[in-house]
Amino acid sequence: MGLIVSFFALLTIIALAVAAQRLLGVRFGAIRTFLAALLAFSISQPVLTPIFSLFGEPDTTEAPGIGAMWVLVLGVMCVVLIPMIILVIAEALIPPGSIPGPVEFLRSLRGRISRARRYSQITRIAFRHGLGPYLRGRGDRVDDRSGKVRLAASLREALDDGGVTFVKLGQVLSTRRDLLPQEFVEELGKLQDQVAPVPWQEIEAVLQRELGADAFASVDRTPLAAASIAQVHTARLHSGEEVVVKVQRPGIGRVVAKDLDIVRRLAATLEARTRWGSTLGMRDLAEGFAVAIREELDFRVESGNMAAVSASGAGAVTYPSPVAALCTERVLVMTRLSGTPVTNASREQGPGLARDLLDCLLRQILLEGVFHADPHPGNLLLLHDGTLGLLDFGSVGRLDASVRSALQRFLMAMNRQDPLAVTDALLEVVPRPEEIDEAALERALGQFMAKHLAPGTDSVQTFTDLFRIVSEYGLSIPPEVAAVFRALATLEGTLVTLSPGFNLIGEARAFGERALTEQLTAAGGVKEAMSQEVAALLPMLRRLPRRVERIASAAEHGRFSMNVRLLADERDRGYVTGLVHQVLLTVLGATSGLMGVLLLGIQGGPVLTTAGTTLFQLIGYNLLVIAAILVLRVLVVIFRRPRT
């Protein structure tokens, strides 16, 4: 007998769960729904007992009438209402996914403890350098230059103490002149990731795991350079070729993964709690940084970048080539370029080297579409033959044909000093905001060109001022275009280092003229371009006369009309349908509740229970329960968070 009772109780709980979820119109997890139904079943008797007592004891001497039926319907609806209320409250207080399952919790417990230690360490570093109030969004606003310099120095010191990930973060931020004041850019540019080298035994273990014990004829145990992510050794292949071996530091992947998780969480906190964090879009910055540093940890990406840039044509600049057979995720082997730091170049060599570097990078950006995104002096070598060598391909940008074409139009319009064309081209390069004062943007760009492009003007900080205009007018730069601007801004500083007083604008104009001449004089260049344009326009030109004739005929006979389809997109229709649905449910719920209250206040009518409850009152009670169900259906949609 007990087994039968348990079976029917289980069926009742399942029926309650199905009914509650169906009436709410929202899918819940099976465990959550079952627990809500189980809780409702367990408390249904103490909840319903006082409700049924309002209608008196049933008369056992007579057959049940319509009053008993209404009371039974009311009781069933109340029982179903209980799990619905529980689910809506749980949705508001404990959204799905906010509490991990037991297996996930146990699996992540160790990581949580480790992250908590790292959080504590980073917090101590921030407070030690006076950055605590800024993390809480309560820091003093700094407007004067000396205050900005002090704050920037504190930030640099804190990032330097934070370790490899935070040093890399500071280096990336030092290139974002469109986001940070000049004082911060200059200070963060001082960050260096030179660290003590890893003992040779650990490096040798990595090489043996990745490539085996006999991959090289010999390896110099003294590192050529040591950075926070990897260190570089020279080696000789069995063929006798001299190569450079870049080996990832052991265990750096785990450290960076932990710190990236913390960077994301800090960025989310800063964007939610501080005005400056929201303005800078800290979440997007952190995510972009995480993607970049994960790629930097995979040397196969750098090997592919190196091969892509090399294939685009070297020009007067030499690139190392990867030894593909010996490149893995943690080891990168490339041909060796012999030379000295570019800062050793003589005064006479500077202008020529600067011109070659500018020509190389502009050709990569505007013509080839694959470019070195970090051309700072540390990534350049002065080779023994007097030419430049370009190193470190961990950061490489890629542009499709449409972006390259838009950038070409932008630079050509700047060369003509046409503010209107520059504005139009810039709004092709970046997404057009919903609201923008194009006239003011045009005037700002006109003043920018008058300052930097007029004959005899100084071209220093050209791209810094352009970044300032982009930031002031709220233009959102796509990542690939931001990489171009960052590369050009970095290039600007490198050119000044190579050749103080270098005429950036004049040389860029000369490059544009040479590139245009090359395209026009190339074998079949003009003919091929015209053929492509005509082939694209020909189908439209064939249909154009017929369409013009139809429009003219319709206008002549008074039949010209235009059809506009509203809500043609299925997503728009779904949004409007859902909105109308919610409004109707709200109106129906309010109407049912109002009618229920009015019916409860009506005196008279057929008496259906021993306590003197009338038919109107029973209907009113049922309408109140129906109103509660409809309101809960609306509330659960309001409380439910958007799923990503």
Side-chain angles (χ1 to χ4, degrees):
M1 185 64 183
L3 183 61
I4 296 176
V5 172
S6 300
F7 176 74
F8 278 104
L10 179 61
L11 288 181
T12 305
I13 293 171
I14 294 174
L16 279 176
V18 173
Q21 182 164 264
R22 183 75 180 111
L23 288 173
L24 287 173
V26 174
R27 293 186 63 85
F28 296 94
I31 296 178
R32 175 178 292 234
T33 309
F34 181 81
L35 291 177
L38 179 62
L39 180 59
F41 180 78
S42 62
I43 66 174
S44 59
Q45 183 175 355
V47 170
L48 294 180
T49 299
I51 296 177
F52 285 132
S53 65
L54 296 174
F55 306 109
E57 295 293 332
D59 189 354
T60 57
T61 60
E62 298 181 2
I66 189 172
M69 182 191 71
W70 278 107
V71 172
L72 179 61
V73 171
L74 178 62
V76 171
M77 288 196 299
C78 287
V79 172
V80 176
L81 186 64
I82 296 173
M84 293 177 63
I85 295 174
I86 295 172
L87 286 172
V88 171
I89 294 175
E91 185 72 24
L93 300 180
I94 313 172
S98 59
I99 297 180
V103 176
E104 182 183 355
F105 176 78
L106 292 175
R107 186 179 300 168
S108 64
L109 182 60
R110 182 178 178 182
R112 290 172 183 269
I113 295 173
S114 176
R115 187 167 60 239
R117 294 198 197 100
R118 185 62 171 148
Y119 262 131
S120 177
Q121 182 183 3
I122 293 171
T123 303
R124 289 197 302 271
I125 291 172
F127 275 87
R128 186 167 65 246
H129 292 283
L131 300 178
Y134 293 93
L135 293 178
R136 297 194 299 264
R138 300 174 184 174
D140 296 332
R141 184 178 178 85
V142 179
D143 295 319
D144 61 299
R145 174 173 172 78
S146 61
K148 289 181 180 178
V149 170
R150 287 195 302 271
L151 181 58
S154 297
L155 177 61
R156 176 185 59 79
E157 293 169 358
L159 292 174
D160 205 2
D161 287 349
V164 50
T165 307
F166 294 94
V167 169
K168 290 291 183 183
L169 177 60
Q171 292 173 342
V172 171
L173 291 176
S174 70
T175 66
R176 294 307 301 265
R177 303 188 184 195
D178 55 327
L179 298 178
L180 297 180
Q182 183 65 21
E183 295 81 4
F184 285 81
V185 171
E186 293 175 355
E187 191 67 34
L188 294 178
K190 301 175 183 178
L191 283 170
Q192 301 293 329
D193 58 354
Q194 297 294 328
V195 296
V198 177
W200 167 249
Q201 292 77 10
E202 298 182 25
I203 295 297
E204 186 179 27
V206 175
L207 288 175
Q208 290 183 356
R209 282 198 306 270
E210 297 291 321
L211 301 177
D214 57 348
F216 304 100
S218 64
V219 180
D220 187 354
R221 299 189 175 192
T222 302
L224 193 63
S228 54
I229 287 182
Q231 67 185 45
V232 177
H233 293 256
T234 57
R236 184 187 301 275
L237 299 180
H238 293 288
S239 62
E241 182 182 4
E242 295 284 341
V243 294
V244 172
V245 183
K246 185 176 180 181
V247 185
Q248 192 172 117
R249 297 173 75 93
I252 194 66
R254 294 190 299 273
V255 175
V256 171
K258 186 191 306 179
D259 283 352
L260 284 180
D261 182 57
I262 292 174
V263 167
R264 285 197 190 93
R265 293 171 184 271
L266 287 175
T269 301
L270 291 173
E271 183 168 333
R273 297 184 181 179
T274 66
R275 181 178 301 176
W276 62 268
S278 176
T279 302
L280 294 180
M282 295 299 294
R283 287 176 183 267
D284 292 338
L285 283 176
E287 190 58 38
F289 168 70
V291 171
I293 201 168
R294 277 200 302 268
E295 288 185 353
E296 192 170 346
L297 286 173
D298 188 347
F299 289 167
R300 293 171 299 185
V301 174
E302 184 173 350
S303 174
N305 291 340
M306 192 184 308
V309 174
S310 300
S312 66
V317 178
T318 303
Y319 314 127
S321 300
V323 182
L326 298 177
C327 292
T328 68
E329 183 178 354
R330 295 178 175 84
V331 176
L332 175 64
V333 181
M334 68 195 91
T335 56
R336 183 179 182 182
L337 300 182
S338 299
T340 61
V342 75
T343 51
N344 294 340
S346 65
R347 183 184 299 271
E348 293 75 18
Q349 290 176 301
L353 295 176
R355 191 178 301 110
D356 290 342
L357 180 60
L358 176 64
D359 184 273
C360 171
L361 196 66
L362 289 179
R363 186 174 299 277
Q364 289 176 0
I365 292 173
L366 298 177
L367 303 180
E368 306 296 342
V370 182
F371 62 95
H372 194 294
D374 193 19
H376 65 76
N379 286 337
L380 292 169
L381 275 181
L382 177 61
L383 303 182
H384 294 321
D385 60 0
T387 61
L388 285 176
L390 193 55
L391 308 174
D392 193 354
F393 292 82
S395 179
V396 167
R398 287 177 170 81
L399 302 174
D400 58 37
S402 62
V403 175
R404 294 202 305 273
S405 177
L407 285 172
Q408 290 171 7
R409 288 192 294 273
F410 175 72
L411 295 179
M412 290 174 62
M414 287 187 65
N415 185 45
R416 298 195 307 270
Q417 298 190 39
D418 183 351
L420 180 59
V422 169
T423 303
D424 292 340
L426 179 61
L427 293 177
E428 288 184 30
V429 174
V430 304
R432 180 185 292 269
E434 294 183 1
E435 296 182 3
I436 184 173
D437 189 346
E438 291 193 31
L441 176 60
E442 182 181 338
R443 289 193 298 271
L445 290 172
Q447 294 172 357
F448 164 79
M449 289 185 288
K451 177 180 178 181
H452 293 285
L453 305 186
T457 56
D458 189 1
S459 61
V460 177
Q461 293 190 341
T462 300
F463 291 101
T464 300
D465 287 348
L466 181 60
F467 282 141
R468 180 182 54 79
I469 294 174
V470 168
S471 177
E472 285 180 357
Y473 285 87
L475 300 178
S476 175
I477 304 178
E480 64 274 13
V481 178
V484 173
F485 284 179
R486 289 198 302 273
L488 293 176
T490 305
L491 175 68
E492 190 175 16
T494 304
L495 296 177
V496 172
T497 302
L498 285 172
S499 177
F502 183 76
N503 187 359
L504 173 62
I505 301 302
E507 294 296 337
R509 287 176 172 174
F511 168 81
E513 294 174 0
R514 291 196 304 271
L516 181 61
T517 302
E518 289 176 8
Q519 290 180 339
L520 293 178
T521 57
V526 176
K527 181 179 179 181
E528 182 180 355
M530 293 182 63
S531 300
Q532 292 176 353
E533 293 294 333
V534 170
L537 290 174
L538 190 58
M540 182 183 68
L541 293 175
R542 286 178 175 175
R543 295 190 296 267
L544 186 59
R546 187 165 59 254
R547 291 182 175 178
V548 171
E549 193 278 331
R550 288 178 181 174
I551 293 173
S553 176
E556 180 182 359
H557 295 88
R559 298 192 303 269
F560 184 75
S561 62
M562 297 180 63
N563 293 327
V564 179
R565 295 183 60 188
L566 297 176
L567 304 177
D569 194 327
E570 184 178 353
R571 292 172 297 178
D572 294 338
R573 293 196 301 271
Y575 173 76
V576 173
T577 300
L579 187 62
V580 172
H581 188 197
Q582 293 300 103
V583 171
L584 287 177
L585 286 176
T586 304
V587 172
L588 289 175
T591 303
S592 299
L594 181 60
M595 290 177 61
V597 171
L598 292 176
L599 288 173
L600 288 175
I602 294 178
Q603 300 297 325
V607 177
L608 300 181
T609 67
T610 57
T613 307
T614 65
L615 175 62
F616 299 143
Q617 292 172 333
L618 280 174
I619 296 176
Y621 285 127
N622 283 273
L623 285 175
L624 287 178
V625 176
I626 292 174
I629 292 174
L630 295 175
V631 170
L632 289 174
R633 190 179 175 104
V634 174
L635 289 177
V636 75
V637 176
I638 295 174
F639 290 141
R640 169 144 290 199
R641 296 181 180 179
R643 300 298 190 260
T644 56

